[in-house]
Amino acid sequence: MPMVKIEQIELELLELPYVHFFETSFGREQGRTFILVKVYADGICGYGEVVADKAPLYSYETTSTAWLMLKDYFIPLVKANAVHDPRDFSRLAGKYKGHPMAKAGLELALWDLEGKRKKQPLWKIYGGTKQEILSGVSVGIQDTVDELIHRIEEFLSEGYGRIKIKIKPGWDIDVCRTLKQEFPDILLQADANGGYTITEKEALKNLDEFGLQMLEQPFPAYDLWDHSRLQKEMNTPLCLDESADSAESVRKALEMGSCRIINIKVGRVGGVHEAIKIHDLCYGRGIPVWCGGMLESGIGRAHNLHLATLPNFKLHNDLSASKRYYQEDLIDPPVDITPQGTIRVPNDPGIGVNPVKDRIKKASLKREVFKF
Ligand code: OSB
Ligand code: MG
């Protein structure tokens, strides 16, 4: 490919209300605030999404810290080095500590640009092997168990092949027992978002009786050791989300026996380049992975769809239809699931979906343009 000169990068802060509130062990949210990254070259625009939230609850990053890092460090890095290859960007950005979601948002925009310039969908560039991926749905904590049952019934009727519920101390064992009585045959998994500590080990072991597909991140992100202690005493496979922040962390987690499954999120690990390293490491060690979500708009979700076509994405992904998250997604047509509970991966160049400019404008809170 000939060199490309990036002409302009844009950051835009957007706010989109959810169809239904989303509650985890760290709280209830009514909508999402996030940053859209647009990279312009040769009349083409590459889109990326920064998954950092308004508040530092899932991780330390926020929309404000990501904006600052992009403006003061990552965009100047692209400008000073005339970078356009996402792999080069990933290597260069690696010298700055932390801020993986900010790095990933810009790297994703560069990937979309690269796909559009090469006229290839990203799944082909990544070496994907699937036309459709397995769709699962993540259901937040509700006001009552009846409400949760009602929501799960709806999702099952729409075709989702796996249900993930959010748990926290006090909303765990009894909820799982009721769900298993109500829906004996479903694939059920539980995500604690680090809401427990090792003092609750015996209580967590009681979850074994429900045959969960996995228990995701019971302990805080830094706690690989306590996860390994619990995994040794539990039949249910543990899956790491927040703790799996790089290929190096994942290697250590696997060597310590901290989990048997890995959730991959591009934002959490600093981009696709690192995500593929984790995918390959797990593949080599017989550890299945799946693609996690951060309630992305259709732009971030399209990026996730392409990644999830790699061969070791063997389990259901947190990739659901647009209408499960937003009344009006940023892309048209929206993401939809098939009656078989899968999502078809776009075949048009780059992310292969169409962002709707009017909807982006409607959701916009602030915009800044960086001319090169
Ligand atoms: O832990 O997987 C998580 C959403 C926000 C923050 C953390 C998580 C989630 C989800 C949503 O579970 C999954 C999705 O995007 O469908
Ligand atoms: Mg999780």
Side-chain angles (χ1 to χ4, degrees):
M1 276 310 260
M3 275 290 288
V4 59
K5 188 165 166 356
I6 291 173
E7 292 136 17
Q8 183 169 316
I9 297 183
E10 260 178 57
L11 299 181
E12 189 154 17
L13 187 68
L14 306 182
E15 189 171 56
L16 277 182
Y18 296 138
V19 170
H20 186 90
F21 66 80
F22 193 79
E23 184 172 329
T24 66
S25 62
F26 46 69
R28 181 178 289 194
E29 300 289 339
Q30 303 288 348
R32 223 181 125 237
T33 313
F34 61 99
I35 301 168
L36 202 60
V37 183
K38 286 169 265 177
V39 176
Y40 293 90
D42 291 343
I44 298 172
C45 177
Y47 290 86
E49 181 166 336
V50 178
V51 297
D53 226 319
K54 206 154 53 179
L57 295 166
Y58 171 83
S59 78
Y60 63 82
E61 287 186 270
T62 70
T63 45
S64 309
T65 68
W67 191 285
L68 178 85
M69 290 303 294
L70 284 158
K71 180 183 163 99
D72 287 356
Y73 298 97
F74 304 137
I75 293 172
L77 200 61
V78 171
K79 193 169 174 175
N81 297 279
V83 184
H84 60 91
D85 185 322
R87 301 165 199 84
D88 291 341
F89 170 73
S90 170
R91 277 187 284 270
L92 281 168
K95 76 173 173 184
Y96 294 121
K97 304 286 184 289
H99 302 280
M101 294 175 178
K103 289 173 184 166
L106 180 46
E107 200 210 273
L108 288 171
L110 292 169
W111 279 112
D112 184 29
L113 182 72
E114 168 145 322
K116 285 169 174 159
R117 288 181 66 236
K118 290 186 169 164
K119 300 192 168 48
Q120 279 190 10
L122 284 175
W123 69 266
K124 272 198 186 148
I125 295 178
Y126 297 158
T129 54
K130 295 174 230 181
Q131 299 292 306
E132 295 178 23
I133 59 94
L134 292 172
S135 175
V137 62
S138 171
V139 193
I141 294 165
Q142 306 299 315
D143 288 328
T144 63
V145 180
D146 279 349
E147 179 62 17
L148 180 64
I149 291 172
H150 173 71
R151 292 188 60 75
I152 291 175
E153 272 167 352
E154 254 179 44
F155 288 129
L156 291 172
S157 76
E158 286 167 15
Y160 291 101
R162 179 274 274 151
I163 303 290
K164 157 168 144 182
I165 60 160
K166 293 289 185 178
I167 59 167
K168 64 177 180 181
W171 179 272
D172 45 23
I173 302 282
D174 293 341
V175 176
C176 288
R177 180 173 297 113
T178 308
L179 293 183
K180 272 293 171 177
Q181 280 161 0
E182 201 72 28
F183 311 104
D185 303 324
I186 61 168
L187 265 184
L188 185 66
Q189 95 186 39
D191 184 0
N193 287 106
Y196 297 82
T197 66
I198 196 70
T199 59
E200 289 148 305
K201 176 158 68 68
E202 295 311 309
L204 287 167
K205 281 159 66 177
N206 290 326
L207 289 171
D208 265 346
E209 69 178 280
F210 308 118
L212 300 177
Q213 193 183 23
M214 72 191 80
L215 168 60
E216 191 179 335
Q217 197 73 37
F219 304 137
Y222 56 81
D223 234 335
L224 289 184
W225 174 248
D226 285 346
H227 282 102
S228 82
R229 284 181 60 195
L230 177 62
Q231 181 66 94
K232 282 183 185 66
E233 296 179 29
M234 242 183 137
N235 293 326
T236 307
L238 297 187
C239 169
L240 295 180
D241 173 350
E242 285 89 331
S243 297
D245 59 5
S246 65
E248 272 300 282
S249 309
V250 170
R251 178 181 62 77
K252 286 164 200 167
L254 298 182
E255 289 174 5
M256 285 167 74
S258 307
C259 66
R260 297 186 197 135
I261 297 171
I262 292 288
N263 157 326
I264 296 186
K265 287 180 183 168
V266 171
R268 190 193 64 227
V269 308
V272 171
H273 188 75
E274 191 68 20
I276 294 178
K277 273 200 227 165
I278 296 175
H279 167 274
D280 294 350
L281 171 77
C282 291
Y283 205 15
R285 297 192 186 204
I287 298 289
V289 306
W290 55 282
C291 185
M294 292 293 287
L295 307 165
E296 289 90 344
S297 80
I299 292 171
R301 197 136 9 88
H303 274 289
N304 291 343
L305 283 174
H306 289 278
L307 184 70
T309 63
L310 290 172
N312 196 36
F313 282 83
K314 291 196 171 132
L315 303 168
H316 288 77
N317 306 285
D318 274 352
L319 283 165
S320 315
S322 291
K323 69 170 190 202
R324 178 264 173 280
Y325 306 96
Y326 303 105
Q327 207 85 54
E328 212 178 44
D329 204 343
L330 296 182
I331 59 165
D332 190 54
V335 173
D336 213 345
I337 69 166
T338 67
Q340 293 74 41
T342 63
I343 297 176
R344 288 198 194 89
V345 183
N347 267 316
D348 284 342
I351 50 176
V353 296
N354 307 309
V356 183
K357 294 206 171 71
D358 285 353
R359 293 189 192 162
I360 293 176
K361 205 166 163 189
K362 208 170 110 192
S364 178
L365 300 175
K366 151 170 136 172
R367 195 170 80 102
E368 193 164 347
V369 177
F370 303 86
K371 289 201 188 297
F372 278 32

